[in-house]
């Protein structure tokens, strides 16, 4: 009896083992593809993953060819500028649009299809057509490596964003001291002067072969002359040669800040073209006061603007002198278009003083942008027509950011 029971137990154990083995052979555990993370073998068909070749998207017929996206300027003198054109072509069978989005800084001028890219809108390239993106970089600051460029958007699915860059090294074999012609605050009816030195550390002479002030309105205000330096009066005794650039302000009729660019062609091999900023602030009988206004800089700085709410500041324009003989104050222009200005009713404070309210605003719903000056976007500008006999025009620079 005991022996029979023992054999029965052994038979049961063997039977269970054989049953499990057969079940393992018949139903492979990986065929369940459980969420526990068991990897299926490599021979699974597309059907196992729920895809078929027919599900793949058709190949796009839009095709933009870009031969290069980065260009090496090499070593550049501080104050010089260089330009490079990047060709792009439509090699597909459908039209392609190319539109400027942003650049890395204001020191990088960007052109698309031969025109300034900012605000120009998209360029349409038909099949077989080509155009160029041109970058011009003005070397500013201390000796260092640089990498600047611009970003564009296209409707080519394979190249929805295009980024072009120019790279190189800033070197200092020629120096500008100071690096700009800044007049500071000048009276509208009095002359003023600003100057800088061009010093060469590698070449025995500095000569200006040609020069030009690029902005016509600044060219009307400023005269340029050059004085050769001697080793005794150079600002740096280590320099081999130098030249003094003198800018003279001519009294005029326009108030407010002015900004321009002096380009000079020289005999220097590694600095054949020098670029120098010109700036100043003309003051007179018309002034502005209120929150955010900096009289010394002629600059209104708005607080950060919420694009969903908009914002505004209230200023006062003060007109001194015989304002009764003047015409009404008017808004001549604003830039960019998102910057709005509105004048209130004039208030006569005395026979020699008139106050005019000025409201500067950014409307609700404006798109995000930065207009803080320098590398952070060109500042805005408001131009007032005053009717004043001496100073009929007044300019306000406006720095703002819309978030």
């Amino acid at each position: 009896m005991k022996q029979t029971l023992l054999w029965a137990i052994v038979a049961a154990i063997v039977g269970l083992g054989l049953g499990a083995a057969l079940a393992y052979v018949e139903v492979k555990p990986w065929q369940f593809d459980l969420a526990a993370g068991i990897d299926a073998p490599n021979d699974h068909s597309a059907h196992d993953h729920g895809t078929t070749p027919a599900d793949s998207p058709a190949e796009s017929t839009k095709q933009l060819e870009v031969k290069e996206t980065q260009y090496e300027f090499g070593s550049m003198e501080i104050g010089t500028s260089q330009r490079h054109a990047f060709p792009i072509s439509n090699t597909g069978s459908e039209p392609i649009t190319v539109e400027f989005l942003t650049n890395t800084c204001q020191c990088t001028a960007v052109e698309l299809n031969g025109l300034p890219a900012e605000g120009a809108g998209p360029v349409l390239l038909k099949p077989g057509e080509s155009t160029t993106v041109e970058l011009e970089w003005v070397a500013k600051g201390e000796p260092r490596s640089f990498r600047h460029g611009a970003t564009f958007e296209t409707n080519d699915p394979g190249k929805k964003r295009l980024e072009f860059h120019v790279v190189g090294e800033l070197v200092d074999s020629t120096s500008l001291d100071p690096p700009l012609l800044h007049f500071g605050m000048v009276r509208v009816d009095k002359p003023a002067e600003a100057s800088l030195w061009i010093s060469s550390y590698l070449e025995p002479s500095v000569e200006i072969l040609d020069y030009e002030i690029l902005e016509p309105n600044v060219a009307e205000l400023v005269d340029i002359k050059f004085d050769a330096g001697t080793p005794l009066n150079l600002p740096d005794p280590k320099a081999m040669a130098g030249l003094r650039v003198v800018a003279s302000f001519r009294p005029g009729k326009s108030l407010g800040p002015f900004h321009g660019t002096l380009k000079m062609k020289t005999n220097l091999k590694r600095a054949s073209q020098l670029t120098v900023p010109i700036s100043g602030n003309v003051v007179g009988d018309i002034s502005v006061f209120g929150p955010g206004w900096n009289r010394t800089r002629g600059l209104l700085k708005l607080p950060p603007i919420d694009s969903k709410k908009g914002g505004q500041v209230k200023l006062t324009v003060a007109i001194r002198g015989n304002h009764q003989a003047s015409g009404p104050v008017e808004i001549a222009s604003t830039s960019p278009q998102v910057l709005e200005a509105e004048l209130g009713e004039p208030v006569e404070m005395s026979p020699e003083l008139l106050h005019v309210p000025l409201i500067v605003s950014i409307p609700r719903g404006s798109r995000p942008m930065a207009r803080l000056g320098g590398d952070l976007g060109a500042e805005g500008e408001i131009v007032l027509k005053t009717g004043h006999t001496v100073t009929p025009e007044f300019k306000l620079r406006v720095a703002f950011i819309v978030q």
Side-chain angles (χ1 to χ4, degrees), residues 68-73 82-87 109 111 132-137 164-166:
E68 59 175 345
T69 58
Q70 181 167 295
Y71 184 77
E72 174 70 55
F73 277 153
Q82 289 197 50
R83 173 183 286 261
H84 182 70
F86 297 88
E111 290 186 3
T132 58
V133 170
E134 293 194 43
L135 301 183
E136 181 179 18
W137 191 68
F164 299 93
H165 290 93
V166 290

Side-chain angles (χ1 to χ4, degrees), residues 69-110:
T69 58
Q70 181 167 295
Y71 184 77
E72 174 70 55
F73 277 153
S75 297
M76 288 183 63
E77 296 282 351
I78 295 173
T80 64
S81 62
Q82 289 197 50
R83 173 183 286 261
H84 182 70
F86 297 88
I88 54 178
S89 304
N90 183 356
T91 58
S93 58
E94 294 184 45
I96 290 180
T97 57
V98 181
E99 185 172 9
F100 171 77
L101 289 181
T102 185
N103 55 350
T104 53
C105 77
Q106 289 300 114
C107 57
T108 308
V110 185

